[in-house]
Amino acid sequence: MDHFALKDGVLHAEDIPLPRIAEEVGTPVYVYSRATLERHAKVFADGLSSVPRKLIAFAVKANPNLAVLKVLQNQGFGADVVSGGELMRALAAGMTPDTIVFSGVGKTREELILGLDRQIGQFNIESREEGRELAELAAQRGQQAQACLRINPDVDAKTHEKISTGKAENKFGIPLVHAREAFAELASLDGINLRGVAVHIGSQLGDLEPLETAFGKLATLIADLRAAGHAITHVDLGGGLGVPYKVGENPPSPAEYGAMVARVTGDWDVHLTFEPGRVIAGNAGVLLTKVIRVKRGGNGPPFVIVDAAMNDLARPALYGAWHDCDAVVPSGERMTANIVGPICETGDTFARDRDCDALQSGDLAVFRTAGAYGATMASSYNSRGFVPEVLVDGDRYAVVAERLSADAIMSAEPVPDWL
Ligand SMILES: *Cc1c(COP(=O)(O)O)cnc(C)c1O
């Protein structure tokens, strides 16, 4: 459920009519709903109410906007970060170091040091090499890094190949067959308190079965590690829960997910970490855009050319992803359209042969479910500048990321005087 709905024929974000934001901030612009973020955070936490000891760490990469992070921090969420930049954002948003988990296959030496300096709650180690480096750096500082070992359970998450992370051929985690040996080696090092294991098999999961399979493999591993004398007190179950992008899609609910987690992990006797991203932020945001013009006369349906493009919302170009497109002031008429942006690439296509609200030049429209992996993936390709972001809260709103103009970007490009 979200708070983007028609009121008197005009699409609103909570109590703010979207035409007002288009008028005052300009388009394209991302619009987030605070009430929706809070609702999703609460529903997720409620789904896990039977898990006694836990940390819910929002996957910052899904939506790193500081105001969004602040909303989630207020809900008691920590942060799952995958770079030094995300780590600094989480801290800036008020997340305390002990609620920050550092994931990622390629943490640099500088990033490991940053995490140690800030005394973050947990490093998820993705290779023996990384574990040794972390141990050495921590020992030099007289510290003990709190860490889990990320396991690659080799399960097919049945999602898009580019966001599948738990198959043997993916770069993430330590293969299950090597996990016991790797754990034993890293656990013996000064500088690391290797206290458990982590898993994250992919994103936009439409089915609980692959997750349950992965958790089942973890259960066996945990028993083996304990039998070998290791104290396993923490397990990180990652994120990945999918969201509906279109009518008819019915991904598992947080309640169903929570029930499965409770059933599978009930006798583990550990502190659990969860790293949801998309399920919290996805349907809490839309990309508001304006139709530049409608181009007719080709072979197929007309091209509805909007002022948002693949540089603002990359998912359709990257993953062939579907985003519902709705008029902000629907007339009741429908059309079949190819919805495209202005960028000089055929990949800059949001929808082909789409049955949608009739749109004409000057109309406003939204791409829905754009709150996760939207603005964060934006670029300035075609020198279009960076798209701004707005957070709505009831009958007020604030610009929470300013539009970075093409001029501002150009001014950060010094041309050497020897040219
Ligand atoms: C991306 C990522 C997540 C979040 O995935 P969602 O599908 O957005 O929930 C969680 N953990 C790790 C390690 C990730 O890389």
Side-chain angles (χ1 to χ4, degrees), residues 57-62 80-82 103-104 124 126 150 163 165 172 199-200 202-205 236-242 274-280 372-373:
F58 177 64
V60 171
K61 77 174 190 283
D80 171 53
V81 303
V82 294
S103 301
N124 285 346
E126 300 232 8
R150 178 165 174 184
I163 50 174
T165 56
F172 300 98
V199 73
H200 171 74
S203 194
Q204 185 53 13
L205 309 186
D236 186 331
L237 296 180
L241 211 53
F274 301 90
E275 304 171 345
R278 191 187 309 266
V279 72
I280 305 296
Y373 307 103

Coordinates of all heavy atoms in Angstrom, one line a residue, residues 57-62 80-82 103-104 124 126 150 163 165 172 199-200 202-205 236-242 274-280 372-373, ligand 1:
A57 N 18.6 -3.5 9.1 CA 19.5 -2.6 8.5 C 19.1 -2.2 7.1 O 19.2 -3.1 6.2 CB 21.0 -3.1 8.6
F58 N 18.6 -1.0 6.9 CA 18.2 -0.7 5.5 C 19.3 -0.7 4.5 O 20.4 -0.2 4.8 CB 17.6 0.7 5.6 CG 17.1 1.3 4.2 CD1 16.1 0.6 3.5 CD2 17.7 2.4 3.6 CE1 15.7 1.1 2.3 CE2 17.3 2.9 2.4 CZ 16.3 2.2 1.7
A59 N 19.1 -1.4 3.4 CA 20.1 -1.4 2.3 C 20.2 0.0 1.7 O 19.4 0.3 0.8 CB 19.8 -2.5 1.3
V60 N 21.2 0.7 2.1 CA 21.3 2.1 1.7 C 21.4 2.3 0.2 O 20.9 3.3 -0.4 CB 22.6 2.8 2.4 CG1 22.9 4.2 1.8 CG2 22.4 2.8 3.9
K61 N 22.0 1.3 -0.5 CA 22.1 1.5 -2.0 C 20.7 1.6 -2.7 O 20.6 2.1 -3.7 CB 22.9 0.3 -2.6 CG 22.2 -1.0 -2.8 CD 23.2 -1.9 -3.5 CE 22.5 -3.2 -4.0 NZ 22.4 -4.2 -2.9
A62 N 19.7 1.1 -2.0 CA 18.3 1.2 -2.6 C 17.9 2.6 -2.7 O 17.2 3.0 -3.7 CB 17.3 0.3 -1.9
D80 N 22.7 -1.1 6.1 CA 23.6 -2.0 5.4 C 24.3 -1.2 4.3 O 23.6 -0.6 3.4 CB 22.8 -3.1 4.8 CG 23.6 -4.0 3.9 OD1 24.7 -4.5 4.3 OD2 23.3 -4.2 2.7
V81 N 25.6 -1.0 4.4 CA 26.3 -0.1 3.4 C 27.3 -1.0 2.6 O 27.7 -2.0 3.0 CB 27.0 1.0 4.2 CG1 26.1 1.8 5.0 CG2 28.2 0.5 5.0
V82 N 27.5 -0.5 1.4 CA 28.4 -1.2 0.5 C 29.6 -0.4 0.0 O 30.3 -0.7 -1.0 CB 27.7 -1.9 -0.7 CG1 26.7 -3.0 -0.2 CG2 26.9 -0.8 -1.5
S103 N 28.8 -4.4 3.9 CA 28.8 -5.6 3.0 C 29.6 -5.2 1.7 O 29.9 -4.0 1.6 CB 27.3 -5.9 2.6 OG 26.6 -6.3 3.7
G104 N 29.7 -6.1 0.8 CA 30.3 -5.8 -0.5 C 31.6 -6.5 -0.7 O 32.4 -6.8 0.2
N124 N 30.7 -7.7 6.9 CA 30.4 -9.0 6.3 C 31.6 -9.3 5.3 O 31.7 -8.6 4.3 CB 29.1 -8.9 5.6 CG 27.9 -9.0 6.6 OD1 28.1 -9.3 7.7 ND2 26.7 -8.7 6.1
E126 N 33.7 -11.1 2.6 CA 33.3 -11.9 1.4 C 34.4 -12.8 0.8 O 34.2 -13.5 -0.2 CB 32.9 -10.9 0.3 CG 31.7 -10.0 0.8 CD 30.6 -10.0 -0.2 OE1 30.6 -10.8 -1.2 OE2 29.6 -9.3 0.0
R150 N 30.4 -14.0 4.8 CA 29.3 -14.2 3.8 C 29.5 -15.4 3.0 O 30.5 -15.7 2.4 CB 29.2 -12.9 2.9 CG 28.1 -13.1 1.8 CD 27.8 -11.8 1.1 NE 26.8 -11.9 0.1 CZ 26.5 -10.9 -0.7 NH1 27.0 -9.7 -0.6 NH2 25.6 -11.1 -1.7
I163 N 20.7 -9.2 -11.0 CA 20.6 -8.9 -9.5 C 20.5 -10.2 -8.7 O 20.0 -10.3 -7.6 CB 19.4 -8.0 -9.2 CG1 18.1 -8.5 -10.0 CG2 19.7 -6.6 -9.7 CD1 16.8 -7.7 -9.6
T165 N 22.6 -13.0 -6.8 CA 23.9 -12.9 -6.1 C 24.3 -14.2 -5.4 O 25.4 -14.2 -4.7 CB 23.9 -11.7 -5.1 OG1 22.9 -11.9 -4.2 CG2 23.7 -10.4 -5.8
F172 N 29.9 -13.1 -5.3 CA 29.7 -12.8 -3.9 C 29.9 -14.0 -3.0 O 29.5 -15.1 -3.3 CB 28.2 -12.3 -3.7 CG 28.0 -11.0 -4.5 CD1 27.3 -11.1 -5.7 CD2 28.4 -9.8 -4.0 CE1 27.1 -9.9 -6.4 CE2 28.2 -8.6 -4.7 CZ 27.5 -8.7 -5.9
V199 N 24.2 -14.2 4.5 CA 23.8 -14.6 3.1 C 22.9 -13.5 2.5 O 22.2 -12.8 3.2 CB 23.1 -16.0 3.3 CG1 21.7 -15.8 3.8 CG2 23.0 -16.7 1.9
H200 N 23.1 -13.4 1.2 CA 22.1 -12.5 0.5 C 22.1 -13.0 -1.0 O 23.1 -12.9 -1.7 CB 22.6 -11.0 0.5 CG 21.8 -10.1 -0.4 ND1 20.5 -9.7 -0.1 CD2 22.1 -9.5 -1.6 CE1 20.1 -9.0 -1.1 NE2 21.0 -8.8 -2.0
G202 N 20.0 -12.3 -3.6 CA 19.5 -11.6 -4.8 C 18.4 -10.7 -4.4 O 18.0 -10.6 -3.2
S203 N 17.9 -9.9 -5.4 CA 17.0 -8.9 -5.2 C 15.7 -9.1 -6.0 O 15.8 -9.9 -7.0 CB 17.6 -7.5 -5.6 OG 16.8 -6.5 -5.1
Q204 N 14.6 -8.5 -5.6 CA 13.3 -8.6 -6.3 C 12.9 -10.1 -6.4 O 12.5 -10.6 -7.4 CB 13.4 -8.0 -7.7 CG 12.1 -7.9 -8.5 CD 10.9 -7.3 -7.7 OE1 11.1 -6.7 -6.7 NE2 9.7 -7.5 -8.2
L205 N 13.0 -10.8 -5.2 CA 12.6 -12.2 -5.2 C 11.1 -12.3 -5.1 O 10.4 -11.6 -4.3 CB 13.2 -12.9 -3.9 CG 14.8 -12.7 -3.8 CD1 15.3 -13.5 -2.6 CD2 15.5 -13.1 -5.1
D236 N 23.3 -13.1 9.5 CA 22.7 -12.0 8.7 C 22.0 -12.6 7.5 O 22.6 -13.3 6.7 CB 23.9 -11.1 8.2 CG 23.4 -9.9 7.5 OD1 22.4 -9.9 6.8 OD2 24.1 -8.9 7.5
L237 N 20.7 -12.4 7.4 CA 19.9 -13.1 6.4 C 19.7 -12.2 5.1 O 19.0 -12.6 4.2 CB 18.5 -13.5 7.0 CG 18.6 -14.5 8.1 CD1 17.2 -14.9 8.6 CD2 19.3 -15.8 7.6
G238 N 20.4 -11.1 5.1 CA 20.3 -10.2 3.8 C 19.0 -9.6 3.6 O 18.1 -9.5 4.5
G239 N 18.8 -9.2 2.3 CA 17.5 -8.6 1.9 C 16.9 -9.4 0.8 O 17.0 -10.6 0.8
G240 N 16.3 -8.7 -0.2 CA 15.9 -9.4 -1.4 C 14.4 -9.5 -1.6 O 14.0 -9.8 -2.7
L241 N 13.6 -9.2 -0.6 CA 12.1 -9.4 -0.8 C 11.6 -8.5 -1.9 O 12.0 -7.3 -2.0 CB 11.4 -9.0 0.5 CG 10.1 -9.7 0.8 CD1 10.3 -11.3 0.7 CD2 9.6 -9.4 2.2
G242 N 10.8 -9.1 -2.9 CA 10.4 -8.3 -4.0 C 9.2 -7.4 -3.7 O 8.6 -7.5 -2.7
F274 N 18.7 -8.2 9.3 CA 18.0 -8.2 8.0 C 18.4 -7.0 7.2 O 18.6 -5.9 7.8 CB 16.5 -8.2 8.3 CG 16.0 -9.4 9.0 CD1 16.0 -9.4 10.4 CD2 15.6 -10.6 8.4 CE1 15.6 -10.5 11.2 CE2 15.2 -11.7 9.1 CZ 15.2 -11.6 10.5
E275 N 18.4 -7.1 5.9 CA 18.9 -6.0 5.1 C 17.9 -5.6 4.0 O 18.3 -5.7 2.8 CB 20.3 -6.3 4.5 CG 21.3 -6.7 5.5 CD 22.6 -7.3 4.8 OE1 22.6 -7.7 3.6 OE2 23.6 -7.4 5.5
P276 N 16.7 -5.2 4.3 CA 15.7 -4.9 3.3 C 16.0 -3.6 2.6 O 16.4 -2.6 3.3 CB 14.4 -4.9 4.0 CG 14.8 -4.3 5.4 CD 16.2 -5.0 5.7
G277 N 15.8 -3.5 1.3 CA 16.0 -2.3 0.6 C 14.8 -1.9 -0.2 O 13.9 -1.1 0.2
R278 N 14.6 -2.7 -1.3 CA 13.5 -2.4 -2.2 C 12.1 -2.4 -1.6 O 11.3 -1.6 -1.8 CB 13.5 -3.5 -3.3 CG 12.6 -3.2 -4.5 CD 12.7 -4.4 -5.5 NE 14.0 -4.8 -5.8 CZ 14.7 -4.4 -6.9 NH1 14.1 -3.6 -7.8 NH2 15.9 -4.8 -7.2
V279 N 11.9 -3.4 -0.7 CA 10.6 -3.6 -0.1 C 10.2 -2.4 0.8 O 9.0 -2.2 1.0 CB 10.5 -5.0 0.7 CG1 11.3 -4.9 2.0 CG2 9.1 -5.4 0.9
I280 N 11.2 -1.7 1.3 CA 10.9 -0.5 2.1 C 10.7 0.7 1.2 O 9.7 1.5 1.4 CB 12.1 -0.2 3.0 CG1 12.4 -1.4 3.9 CG2 11.8 1.0 3.9 CD1 11.3 -1.9 4.8
A372 N 13.1 2.9 -5.1 CA 14.3 2.1 -4.8 C 15.0 1.9 -6.2 O 14.4 1.6 -7.2 CB 13.9 0.7 -4.2
Y373 N 16.3 2.0 -6.1 CA 17.2 1.8 -7.3 C 16.7 2.8 -8.4 O 16.7 2.5 -9.6 CB 17.2 0.4 -7.8 CG 17.6 -0.6 -6.7 CD1 16.6 -1.3 -6.0 CD2 18.9 -0.6 -6.2 CE1 17.0 -2.1 -4.9 CE2 19.3 -1.4 -5.2 CZ 18.3 -2.2 -4.5 OH 18.7 -3.0 -3.5
Ligands
LIG1 C1 21.4 -4.9 -2.5 C2 21.6 -5.6 -1.2 C3 20.6 -5.7 -0.3 C4 19.2 -5.2 -0.5 O1 18.5 -5.9 -1.5 P1 16.9 -5.6 -1.7 O2 16.5 -6.5 -2.8 O3 16.8 -4.1 -2.1 O4 16.2 -5.9 -0.4 C5 20.8 -6.3 1.0 N1 22.0 -6.9 1.2 C6 23.1 -6.8 0.4 C7 24.4 -7.4 0.8 C8 22.9 -6.2 -0.9 O5 23.9 -6.1 -1.7

